[in-house]
């Protein structure tokens, strides 16, 4: 009977130890190990006896010399003593469960603690412990009604998670969380509660805040008060053990006292009594450096403090006196006769001078006091401004600059560049010579023939007029039926042809002026064209003029899809570039006169194109947009340079006859000069005009360039470009020409130089063309 009771008690204690061990393994930390220990104490409080570590480790046999010692029943003890014994037994069993110690431990076995009521479960027992320690009366009645054979946990399976050191994330997609000791799956607990249920539990359960989930088993664990205190201490950065003292005195194992016996009795090394060769080499090097003067011995420092006079300069040997930038202290002026208590009569002010001195500003007075006369020194009163003057003197000493700043004494005349006199830069146009009248509306464009004998102009009145330059006589008027946007005379002297941009077409006119042989050869050149058998698709249509139109001088009509804003010729006179007012890559088109072909050189657009120009000597095409000027190589079909004029809106463009310099005008009153060999940034920016620039032009022979603006003036500048690449161009404004009247807030719309003479033509919004010579 005693042996069976012992086995039953061992099984009950094994269940409690298993539950405590499960809590320790599930938590993996000090806080949850306390939970396991609490479970063990709960199991002991439910009536399970306390056994030795050998019994906890599963050893059922008893030594021959060990006998059951009847001891006092636990129900006769107080609650505190039983709880402490339970905790001590459980912890000792966990620590020594795997050891084979042969120490004698007393077994506490009592038959009165056996469980006679088989309907009770561990949960009910645990709830009883949480509710509070039972009284002696209740435990005694429970012990009398229990059956020790109805509940036996010796054959129960160990449901601990024995998956080992394996990441639990591997089991996220599986219904189990690990395997037990027999290799069977440990299934995850069913969790069908959603966030709403968890919120309700949080509101209803007062112990929800101390409930944690065991990651190894997936079950909920409720922390005890001791575990909560432990977690709070760890969160505050404190030690988990309440009895641990981190500030214990340090044991000084190696004291500073000389001991009789050495710490180590190791024999001395050989190098301890043999001179070192390395140190010998170092000493020899230092001796050699001292002999050569490379190392100088330290001089003994003078312990007495050194004081410096901050404002000393009288002594040239002083420390501050040797500084060239030192500024001496401002010295007070010595007192004169006016400061005397008995000054001469001529230093005493009169009544008028006294009133005048009182009315003056303090900064305008010669003396900051009025001289007074006293009979003796004993009658002189205290000076009223003594403290104020002393304070100002201290400010003078304190705020005096300590460093002298070198000022560059530059003559303002030297800052102005030495420009040559305009008289030395002649010839250039200086006065108005002729006025060409005949247009009834503003004259937008003009062009001069290569020989300089004829002048063509286009106006908003829908007419094209041809003038004789020398006499200002209108030789011919051609009605084109629309606003003439641009006009260009063919630069080839062997071809007598004028290109006119009107609407969405470019009209090629033969003015029939000058040599008849030249006029006839131009018509033969145009009539010699043979159309191809298979017409190609082109961005423009070439149309022959009718007989009636040929009588008016029209020879060809090039029709486009959008209005034409500019037309310009290549230097050889065979190619023609036009600018359309349509967005996209077809803004610029190039036409070939001899073959009557049109092509679009660009595949994509870089902004709204304002104007284009051909390079005079190289196969370059200059395209000016609103903010930049791009230079394209026509043979290589690539972008060569991109010039940034730093203007808001580029309006016009002109290329120097040599081809290495470019000027462009803008609507923000700037004229920008570019040196292509120097940089892509402007070389000079001239702001001589007050309003927007409409046109710029270079003279073909003379070093002159001009600009026309809406302020009604034409500014002629001298622009000398030297052959020496090391010498920058010389830009000098020489003359401002005025004569046009402002109409509709518009002034000069176009300018053009005479090809051989230093003359300039200008067309304005007042409907006139003026020649300045």
């Amino acid at each position: 009977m005693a042996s069976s009771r012992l086995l039953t008690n061992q099984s009950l204690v094994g269940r409690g130890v298993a539950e405590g061990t499960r809590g320790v393994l599930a938590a993996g930390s000090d806080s949850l190990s306390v939970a396991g220990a609490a479970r063990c104490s709960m199991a002991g409080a439910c009536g399970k006896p306390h056994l030795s570590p050998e019994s906890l480790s599963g050893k059922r046999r008893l030594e021959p010399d060990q006998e059951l010692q009847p001891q006092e029943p636990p129900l006769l003890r107080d609650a505190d003593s039983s709880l402490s014994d339970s905790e001590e037994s459980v912890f000792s069993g966990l620590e020594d469960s795997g050891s084979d110690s042969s120490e004698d431990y007393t077994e506490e076995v009592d038959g009165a603690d056996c469980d006679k009521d088989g309907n009770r479960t561990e949960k009910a027992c645990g709830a009883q412990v949480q509710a509070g320690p039972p009284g002696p009366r209740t435990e005694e009645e429970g012990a009398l009604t229990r059956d020790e054979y109805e509940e036996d946990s010796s054959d129960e399976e160990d449901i601990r998670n024995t998956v080992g050191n394996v990441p639990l994330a591997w089991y996220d997609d599986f219904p189990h969380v690990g395997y037990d000791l027999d290799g069977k799956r440990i299934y995850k607990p069913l969790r069908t509660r959603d966030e709403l249920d968890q919120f309700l539990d949080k509101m209803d359960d007062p112990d929800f805040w101390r409930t944690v989930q065991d990651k190894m088993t997936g079950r909920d664990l409720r922390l005890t008060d001791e575990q909560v205190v432990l977690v709070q201490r760890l969160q505050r950065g404190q030690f988990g053990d309440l009895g641990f003292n981190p500030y214990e005195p340090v044991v000084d194992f190696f004291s500073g006292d000389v001991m009789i016996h050495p710490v180590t009795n190791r024999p001395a090394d050989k190098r301890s009594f043999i001179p070192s060769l390395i140190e010998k080499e170092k000493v020899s090097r230092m001796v050699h450096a001292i002999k050569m003067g490379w190392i100088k011995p330290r001089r003994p420092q003078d312990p007495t403090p050194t004081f410096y006079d901050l404002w000393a300069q009288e002594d040239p040997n002083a420390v501050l006196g040797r500084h060239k930038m030192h500024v001496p202290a401002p010295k007070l002026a010595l007192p004169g006769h006016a400061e005397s208590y008995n000054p001469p009569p001529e230093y005493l002010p009169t009544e008028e001078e006294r009133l005048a001195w009182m009315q003056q500003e303090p900064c305008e007075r010669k003396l900051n006091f009025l001289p007074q006369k006293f009979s003796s020194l004993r009658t002189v009163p205290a000076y009223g401004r003594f403290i104020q003057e002393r304070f100002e003197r201290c400010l003078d000493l304190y705020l005096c600059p300590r460093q002298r700043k070198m000022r560059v004494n530059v003559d303002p005349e030297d800052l102005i560049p030495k420009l040559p006199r305009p008289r030395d830069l002649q010839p250039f146009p200086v006065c108005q010579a002729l006025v060409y009248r005949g247009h009834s509306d503003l004259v937008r464009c003009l062009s001069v023939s290569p020989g300089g004998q004829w002048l063509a102009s286009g106006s908003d009145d829908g007419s094209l007029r041809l003038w004789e330059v020398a006499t200002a006589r209108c030789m011919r008027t051609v009605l084109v039926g629309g606003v003439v946007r641009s006009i260009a005379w063919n630069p080839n002297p062997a071809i007598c042809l004028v290109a006119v941009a009107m609407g969405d077409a470019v009209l090629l006119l033969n003015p029939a002026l000058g040599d008849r042989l030249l006029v006839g050869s131009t018509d033969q050149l145009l009539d010699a064209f043979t159309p191809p058998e298979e017409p190609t698709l082109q961005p423009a249509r070439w149309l022959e003029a009718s007989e009636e139109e040929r009588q008016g001088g029209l020879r060809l009509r090039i029709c486009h899809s959008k209005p034409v804003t500019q037309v310009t010729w290549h230097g050889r006179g065979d190619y023609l570039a036009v600018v359309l007012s349509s967005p996209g890559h077809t803004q610029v088109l190039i036409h070939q006169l001899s073959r009557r072909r049109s092509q679009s050189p660009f595949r994509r657009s870089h902004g709204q194109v304002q104007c284009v120009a051909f390079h005079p000597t190289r196969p370059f095409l200059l395209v000016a947009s609103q903010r930049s000027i791009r230079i394209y190589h026509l043979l290589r079909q690539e972008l060569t340079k991109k010039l940034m004029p730093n203007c808001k809106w580029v309006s016009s463009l002109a290329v120097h006859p040599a081809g290495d310099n470019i000027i462009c005008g803008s609507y923000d009153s700037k004229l920008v000069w570019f040196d292509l060999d120097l940089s892509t940034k402007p070389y000079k920016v001239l702001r001589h005009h007050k309003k927007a620039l409409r046109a710029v032009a270079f003279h073909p022979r003379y070093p002159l360039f001009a600009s026309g603006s809406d302020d009604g003036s034409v500014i002629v500048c001298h622009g000398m470009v030297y052959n020496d690449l090391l010498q920058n161009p010389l830009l000098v404004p020489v003359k401002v020409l005025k004569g046009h009247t402002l109409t509709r807030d518009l002034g000069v719309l176009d300018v053009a130089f005479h090809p051989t003479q230093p003359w300039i033509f200008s067309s304005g919004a007042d409907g006139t063309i003026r020649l300045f010579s």
Side-chain angles (χ1 to χ4, degrees):
M1 188 68 179
S3 62
S4 61
R5 181 180 300 175
L6 177 62
L7 293 176
T8 303
N9 295 335
Q10 289 178 354
S11 64
L12 294 177
V13 175
R15 174 183 293 179
V17 174
E19 291 184 359
T21 311
R22 187 185 308 120
V24 174
L25 294 176
S29 62
D30 294 341
S31 62
L32 295 184
S33 64
V34 177
R39 288 188 178 182
C40 296
S41 63
M42 290 161 51
C46 292
K48 299 177 184 179
H50 308 281
L51 300 181
S52 64
E54 296 180 357
S55 300
L56 294 175
S57 63
K59 297 181 181 180
R60 294 171 179 258
R61 62 184 181 86
L62 299 175
E63 298 296 334
D65 55 349
Q66 290 181 348
E67 297 180 358
L68 294 176
Q69 300 291 338
Q71 298 193 7
E72 184 180 356
L75 55 89
L76 299 179
R77 304 174 187 175
D78 55 348
D80 297 337
S81 61
S82 63
L83 183 60
S84 61
D85 295 340
S86 174
E87 291 180 354
E88 182 180 358
S89 62
V90 171
F91 285 139
S92 62
L94 288 177
E95 293 175 357
D96 303 332
S97 60
S99 64
D100 297 334
S101 175
S102 60
E103 296 180 359
D104 296 336
Y105 295 92
T106 60
E107 299 179 358
E108 301 178 1
V109 180
D110 193 354
D113 293 339
C114 297
D115 191 1
K116 294 183 180 181
D117 190 0
N119 295 328
R120 285 191 169 187
T121 59
E122 276 187 343
K123 294 182 180 180
C125 186
Q128 181 182 1
V129 174
Q130 292 181 359
R137 182 79 177 174
T138 307
E139 290 188 0
E140 185 177 359
E141 291 178 359
L144 294 176
T145 58
R146 291 176 187 154
D147 188 1
E148 60 183 359
Y149 298 105
E150 289 182 2
E151 184 176 354
D152 189 3
S153 62
S154 61
D155 297 334
E156 289 184 0
E157 297 180 356
D158 190 1
I159 61 174
R160 290 178 299 171
N161 186 4
T162 58
V163 66
N165 190 14
V166 175
L168 295 181
W170 294 358
Y171 294 94
D172 290 344
D173 300 334
F174 297 95
H176 58 284
V177 76
Y179 301 90
D180 56 3
L181 297 177
D182 297 334
K184 297 181 180 180
R185 297 180 178 178
I186 301 176
Y187 290 94
K188 299 178 181 178
L190 297 178
R191 290 186 175 272
T192 59
R193 298 184 301 174
D194 53 2
E195 295 183 0
L196 183 59
D197 296 336
Q198 294 180 2
F199 177 75
L200 294 177
D201 292 345
K202 181 179 180 181
M203 294 293 102
D204 298 339
D205 190 3
D207 294 336
F208 182 81
W209 63 274
R210 63 168 65 195
T211 303
V212 296
Q213 183 182 1
D214 189 359
K215 294 184 179 180
M216 295 294 293
T217 61
R219 297 184 179 183
D220 293 337
L221 298 178
R222 188 162 298 176
L223 303 180
T224 61
D225 295 339
E226 293 82 0
Q227 295 172 349
V228 172
V229 173
L230 178 60
V231 172
Q232 291 177 354
R233 288 180 59 84
L234 295 178
Q235 288 179 349
R236 290 194 301 264
Q238 300 177 356
F239 292 95
D241 190 4
L242 293 174
F244 179 76
N245 184 16
Y247 304 105
E248 293 181 356
V250 181
V251 179
D252 190 5
F253 294 98
F254 299 93
S255 63
D257 301 335
V258 179
M259 309 299 291
I260 300 176
H261 301 284
V263 179
T264 59
N265 200 13
R266 186 173 61 86
D269 296 334
K270 185 178 180 181
R271 62 175 178 266
S272 62
F273 54 85
I274 293 180
S276 176
L277 296 179
I278 299 177
E279 294 180 357
K280 180 180 179 181
E281 293 179 358
K282 290 183 180 179
V283 172
S284 63
R285 292 196 198 101
M286 295 175 65
V287 171
H288 179 66
I290 292 174
K291 290 181 179 179
M292 298 298 294
W294 300 336
I295 299 179
K296 296 182 180 180
R298 296 180 181 177
R299 297 179 181 178
Q301 296 182 357
D302 189 5
T304 59
T306 305
F307 301 98
Y308 299 96
D309 186 4
L310 186 63
W311 301 97
Q313 194 182 7
E314 290 80 4
D315 187 6
N317 297 324
V319 176
L320 295 178
R322 293 194 297 266
H323 290 276
K324 295 182 180 180
M325 304 301 292
H326 172 67
V327 178
K331 297 182 179 181
L332 290 177
L334 296 177
H337 296 288
E339 284 83 354
S340 175
Y341 72 95
N342 189 12
E346 60 268 16
Y347 286 93
L348 294 175
T350 61
E351 190 65 26
E352 296 178 357
E353 294 176 351
R354 185 185 300 273
L355 293 176
W357 184 87
M358 295 295 294
Q359 294 176 0
Q360 288 180 350
E361 295 292 334
C363 59
E364 298 178 356
R365 297 169 181 172
K366 295 182 179 180
L367 297 176
N368 56 356
F369 65 95
L370 285 175
Q372 297 180 9
K373 184 176 182 180
F374 300 94
S375 59
S376 63
L377 188 59
R378 300 171 68 181
T379 59
V380 176
Y383 185 45
R385 301 183 67 256
F386 176 76
I387 298 179
Q388 184 178 359
E389 288 188 356
R390 293 298 94 193
F391 178 72
E392 292 178 355
R393 173 62 178 171
C394 293
L395 289 182
D396 293 341
L397 296 176
Y398 170 65
L399 300 177
C400 180
R402 302 297 178 88
Q403 185 178 3
R404 182 183 292 109
K405 294 184 179 180
M406 301 299 295
R407 292 185 58 185
V408 181
N409 297 325
V410 180
D411 189 5
E413 298 295 335
D414 297 340
L415 299 177
I416 301 176
K418 299 297 182 182
L419 298 178
R421 294 181 301 175
R423 185 181 303 174
D424 300 335
L425 302 177
Q426 288 180 351
F428 54 83
V430 293
C431 61
Q432 177 178 313
L434 294 175
V435 178
Y436 302 81
R437 302 182 185 274
H439 288 287
S440 60
D441 205 344
L442 56 88
V443 182
R444 289 187 176 271
C445 51
L446 53 86
S447 180
V448 188
S449 64
Q453 185 179 1
W454 314 105
L455 175 67
S457 62
S459 174
D460 282 2
D461 57 3
S463 65
L464 169 69
R465 291 179 178 268
L466 301 174
W467 311 82
E468 187 179 7
V469 173
T471 60
R473 185 178 61 169
C474 181
M475 303 298 297
R476 190 173 182 182
T477 301
V478 180
L479 299 177
V480 296
V483 176
V484 179
R485 296 286 180 180
S486 178
I487 187 172
W489 206 298
N490 195 313
N492 191 352
I495 300 176
C496 183
L497 206 61
V498 178
V500 181
M502 185 274 302
D504 58 351
V506 174
L507 307 179
L508 298 181
L509 300 173
N510 189 349
L513 297 176
D515 192 359
R516 295 183 178 180
L517 296 178
L518 182 60
V519 173
S521 62
T522 302
D523 291 340
Q524 291 179 3
L525 178 64
L526 296 177
D527 296 338
F529 172 73
T530 302
E533 297 179 358
E534 296 181 359
T536 59
L537 183 61
Q538 299 183 18
R541 292 181 295 114
W542 293 70
L543 301 178
E544 293 282 351
S546 62
E547 291 296 332
E548 183 180 357
E549 292 176 343
R550 291 182 69 90
Q551 294 295 331
L554 181 63
R555 297 294 182 265
L556 289 175
R557 183 190 298 268
I558 308 175
C559 298
H560 304 82
S561 60
K562 297 294 180 180
V564 181
T565 59
Q566 186 203 2
V567 58
T568 181
W569 288 95
H570 188 265
R572 296 183 181 179
D574 190 23
Y575 288 93
L576 183 70
V578 298
V579 178
L580 307 181
S581 62
S582 63
H585 65 280
T586 59
Q587 296 184 71
V588 180
L589 297 179
I590 298 179
H591 307 295
Q592 187 176 4
L593 180 61
S594 60
R595 302 176 62 180
R596 297 188 184 181
R597 293 182 57 184
S598 302
Q599 58 180 342
S600 176
F602 303 113
R603 295 182 179 179
R604 60 179 181 177
S605 174
H606 293 281
Q608 185 68 30
V609 177
Q610 302 298 314
C611 55
V612 297
F614 286 101
H615 196 277
T617 58
R618 299 180 184 179
F620 289 163
L621 178 65
L622 288 82
V623 180
S625 60
Q626 293 183 2
R627 291 295 188 90
S628 62
I629 300 175
R630 288 177 168 85
I631 303 177
Y632 296 94
H633 199 291
L634 296 177
L635 298 181
R636 299 178 184 175
Q637 298 181 1
E638 63 181 7
L639 178 64
T640 303
K641 285 185 180 182
K642 180 181 178 182
L643 308 179
M644 303 302 296
N646 195 17
C647 298
K648 293 182 179 180
W649 198 306
V650 176
S651 61
S652 53
L653 177 68
V655 186
H656 192 270
D660 294 335
N661 295 271
I662 297 174
I663 59 173
C664 68
S666 65
Y667 290 112
D668 53 353
S669 307
K670 294 180 183 178
L671 188 145
V672 183
W673 180 290
F674 284 99
D675 191 345
L676 299 182
D677 296 333
L678 185 62
S679 174
T680 58
K681 301 295 180 64
Y683 165 67
K684 289 288 184 181
V685 178
L686 305 179
R687 298 178 177 86
H688 297 150
H689 290 282
K690 297 180 181 180
K691 292 186 178 181
L693 272 73
R694 293 288 178 175
V696 292
F698 272 109
H699 197 284
R701 293 187 179 183
Y702 293 96
L704 298 174
F705 66 94
S707 60
S709 173
D710 282 341
D711 57 3
S713 64
V714 177
I715 297 181
V716 181
C717 300
H718 176 85
M720 173 61 72
V721 178
Y722 300 96
N723 295 328
D724 187 5
L725 297 179
L726 298 179
Q727 191 171 1
N728 294 327
L730 176 63
L731 308 181
V732 181
V734 292
K735 191 64 177 177
V736 178
L737 303 176
K738 294 183 179 181
H740 292 277
T741 58
L742 298 181
T743 305
R744 307 173 194 171
D745 291 335
L746 298 177
V748 179
L749 300 180
D750 197 5
V751 293
F753 278 100
H754 193 275
T756 58
Q757 300 294 330
W759 301 344
I760 187 171
F761 300 90
S762 64
S763 62
D766 55 355
T768 62
I769 303 171
R770 299 175 185 270
L771 171 63
F772 298 93
S773 62

